[in-house]
């Protein structure tokens, strides 16, 4: 009896497939976002307009408002879509690596590769090309999860003796952000068409990661400190 009730409950709670109208609506939303990202890539992130999206979609501009109430809502949906894609790419790279510094480095490099392949969306996510745009809490949530993954990797590195005290801190998270965004800023400004690891900037990232070790050095052992004092 318990089994059958549990099964019935699970069945009732399972998400139902979208009907034809809802499915078509979702497909149109995805098409709008695809077009919007193309416009951003071609005209700049701040060059996006609903009129241009409507023109490419083959509809009148007011038709877009059936799906998005404003241009800022389109930006928000692109922000969320990009954050989810980026989180998945970075998280998978970290999962495939040894815990600690190796996972952190792999995740950041995967992040860099994704950003170079999705330049316009990355600019919306990590810079402020549209001063009036602020992501919603829902759209920003994957970014919070991204930082948590990075911080967990730094805590693993400290526990493994790869980094010293303070590596699991807000300051360390900010430092890591500065390292990766600094490299990407230079690459996007000067060598946007080069792959990660090529050219003058992204190729320096492994060396830059050594700055994290220098900033949070591993304490000398008691015996080493004693030998130096004698």
């Amino acid at each position: 009896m318990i089994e059958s009730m549990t099964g019935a409950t699970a069945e009732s709670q399972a998400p139902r497939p979208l009907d034809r109208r809802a499915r078509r609506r979702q497909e149109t939303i995805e098409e709008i976002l695809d077009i919007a990202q193309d416009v951003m890539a071609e005209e700049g992130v701040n060059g996006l307009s609903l009129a241009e999206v409507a023109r490419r979609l083959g509809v009148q501009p007011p038709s877009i408002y059936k799906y998005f109430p404003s241009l800022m809502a389109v930006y928000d949906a692109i922000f969320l879509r990009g954050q989810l894609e980026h989180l998945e790419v970075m998280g998978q790279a970290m999962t495939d690596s040894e815990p600690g510094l190796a996972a952190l480095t792999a995740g950041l490099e995967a992040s860099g590769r994704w950003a170079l392949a999705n330049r316009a969306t990355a600019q919306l996510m990590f810079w402020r090309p549209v001063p009036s745009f602020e992501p919603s809490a829902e759209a920003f949530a994957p970014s919070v999860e991204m930082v948590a993954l990075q911080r967990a990797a730094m805590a693993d590195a400290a526990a493994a003796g790869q980094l010293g005290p303070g590596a699991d801190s807000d300051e360390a998270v900010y430092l890591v952000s500065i390292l990766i965004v600094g490299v990407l800023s230079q690459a996007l400004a000067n060598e946007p068409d080069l792959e990660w690891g090529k050219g003058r900037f992204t190729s320096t990232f492994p060396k830059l990661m050594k700055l994290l070790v220098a900033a949070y050095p591993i304490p000398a052992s008691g015996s080493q400190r004693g030998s130096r004092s004698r």
Side-chain angles (χ1 to χ4, degrees):
M1 185 66 173
I2 294 177
E3 252 181 58
S4 62
M5 289 177 61
T6 304
T9 302
E11 185 178 348
S12 65
Q13 291 178 347
R16 296 179 179 179
L18 296 175
D19 61 28
R20 181 178 300 177
R21 180 178 298 180
R23 185 167 61 249
R24 178 56 187 156
R25 176 180 175 81
Q26 188 58 42
E27 289 171 352
T28 303
I29 288 173
E30 296 301 325
E31 187 175 4
I32 289 171
L33 296 180
D34 288 341
I35 292 172
Q37 288 180 290
D38 288 342
V39 174
M40 284 167 47
E42 297 167 18
E43 306 296 336
V45 179
N46 212 13
L48 179 62
S49 72
L50 295 184
E52 179 59 18
V53 172
R55 187 188 71 79
R56 297 191 186 195
L57 188 61
V59 301
Q60 293 299 313
S63 297
I64 301 296
Y65 291 102
K66 296 177 182 177
Y67 304 95
F68 294 98
S70 66
L71 178 60
M72 293 300 114
V74 175
Y75 277 128
D76 198 64
I78 293 172
F79 189 98
L80 174 58
R81 178 197 253 190
Q83 288 285 1
L84 290 172
E85 289 179 3
H86 173 261
L87 179 63
E88 181 178 0
V89 167
M90 191 190 76
Q92 187 61 57
M94 295 177 75
T95 299
D96 292 342
S97 301
E98 290 294 323
L101 275 180
L104 178 63
T105 302
L108 293 172
E109 290 184 336
S111 171
R113 286 191 293 271
W114 184 90
L116 291 178
N118 301 272
R119 297 195 293 268
T121 303
Q123 288 173 40
L124 181 66
M125 290 163 49
F126 302 125
W127 288 268
R128 285 187 177 268
V130 185
S132 57
F133 169 67
E134 288 287 343
S136 64
E138 178 187 4
F140 196 72
S143 180
V144 176
E145 189 173 347
M146 173 196 71
V147 173
L149 285 177
Q150 294 176 359
R151 188 162 186 165
M154 286 186 280
D156 288 341
Q162 299 168 345
L163 292 173
D168 178 17
S169 65
D170 289 343
E171 179 192 70
V173 171
Y174 302 151
L175 179 56
V176 166
S177 175
I178 291 167
L179 293 178
I180 184 64
V181 174
V183 166
L184 283 172
S185 295
Q186 289 283 27
L188 289 171
N190 298 283
E191 301 171 338
D193 296 321
L194 292 184
E195 297 177 0
W196 180 268
K198 305 290 180 64
R200 294 168 290 168
F201 302 109
T202 60
S203 61
T204 67
F205 189 69
K207 290 183 179 179
L208 287 175
M209 285 300 287
K210 294 181 180 179
L211 296 177
L212 186 62
V213 180
Y216 301 99
I218 303 165
S221 66
S223 59
Q224 287 175 321
R225 287 195 297 269
S227 64
R228 287 174 185 166
S229 65
R230 286 197 294 269

